[in-house]
Amino acid sequence: SQKIEQNSEALNIQEGKTATLTCNYTNYSPAYLQWYRQDPGRGPVFLLLIRENEKEKRKERLKVTFDTTLKQSLFHITASQPADSATYLCALEYGNTGKLIFGQGTTLQVKP
Amino acid sequence: DGGITQSPKYLFRKEGQNVTLSCEQNLNHDAMYWYRQDPGQGLRLIYYSQIVNDFQKGDIAEGYSVSREKKESFPLTVTSAQKNPTAFYLCASSIDSLVNYGYTFGSGTRLTVV
């Protein structure tokens, strides 16, 4: 079955540094992969979608890469701020069904 | 403002009781989804609907039921057959079933068995 893994340990970084979060998947070749932000007690918020034929995508301070050979996506936040502190989820679609399977998320803590 | 509204925010269920979680969207989205989130785990798909009057089981549908009589509404019933219902429930929608634009999520309902 499809499996998607994110680092379960929290990532703590200093304000102004670049945060890099990892998403690995197995047993599938998704057409696209998505990243979401989730704050405590709230629903996830969609951030970025990257397709299998795109190596990199940027949106303001966010950058996502997608390596279909390594079966891995990296999510970068440059010039991180305390307001970026949240849990970040990656998700991939499977089976051309419109369904998403989500990773368990990585919690990012940016310290001032 | 367009969005998804889930209610109630907190819900308490007694043993053997059925409860219904509401999900309403005014985004004119075709597809709607229900996920369950447990601490330390990813979101798990319960049911989804790509069009009115049609829905499919997700990965953990046992003990749950849904209906999609209107495009705007996708209520989830947690039945007494669901043995471990305490969780955070999230409803989502997308423009189409191809997920080209990402999901829009509601703010969630936290269900607790008492």
Side-chain angles (χ1 to χ4, degrees), chain A residues 11-112:
Chain A
L11 178 63
N12 296 299
I13 65 168
Q14 208 65 34
E15 182 177 8
K17 300 293 185 183
T18 296
T20 298
L21 285 68
T22 304
C23 177
N24 295 298
Y25 60 93
T26 59
N27 298 333
Y28 191 63
S29 297
Y32 39 74
L33 188 147
Q34 302 184 10
W35 283 88
Y36 290 78
R37 168 183 172 140
Q38 186 175 24
D39 291 286
R42 307 294 299 271
V45 175
F46 172 71
L47 296 175
L48 282 168
L49 179 153
I50 186 165
R51 302 181 191 282
E52 61 178 339
N53 60 350
E54 298 175 314
K55 297 295 183 186
E56 180 181 299
K57 195 160 222 181
R58 293 174 185 260
K59 178 182 177 182
E60 299 173 351
R61 293 184 297 111
L62 308 180
K63 185 179 86 171
V64 172
T65 62
F66 193 11
D67 189 326
T68 56
T69 301
L70 292 178
K71 293 188 181 296
Q72 181 182 80
S73 175
L74 298 179
F75 178 80
H76 306 273
I77 305 175
T78 59
S80 59
Q81 305 166 0
D84 295 327
S85 299
T87 296
Y88 292 87
L89 307 171
C90 69
L92 56 86
E93 66 81 34
Y94 60 100
N96 256 346
T97 61
K99 295 187 291 184
L100 288 180
I101 180 171
F102 284 82
Q104 76 272 38
T106 298
T107 298
L108 172 66
Q109 186 72 34
V110 181
K111 298 184 178 180

Side-chain angles (χ1 to χ4, degrees), chain B residues 46-66:
Chain B
I46 305 173
Y47 267 99
Y48 65 105
S49 168
Q50 296 172 325
I51 195 168
V52 175
N53 292 322
D54 188 43
F55 49 83
Q56 286 78 41
K57 293 182 180 180
D59 301 316
I60 55 165
E62 185 175 352
Y64 300 97
S65 66
V66 293

Side-chain angles (χ1 to χ4, degrees), chain B residues 49-105:
Chain B
S49 168
Q50 296 172 325
I51 195 168
V52 175
N53 292 322
D54 188 43
F55 49 83
Q56 286 78 41
K57 293 182 180 180
D59 301 316
I60 55 165
E62 185 175 352
Y64 300 97
S65 66
V66 293
S67 63
R68 186 89 186 275
E69 297 176 1
K70 298 186 297 182
K71 189 175 186 178
E72 305 78 30
S73 179
F74 192 41
L76 174 74
T77 296
V78 184
T79 74
S80 57
Q82 171 50 239
K83 298 306 178 188
N84 186 22
T86 295
F88 188 48
Y89 290 87
L90 288 159
C91 179
S93 70
S94 62
I95 290 176
D96 58 31
S97 60
L98 298 178
V99 205
N100 285 307
Y101 302 98
Y103 285 4
T104 301
F105 280 88

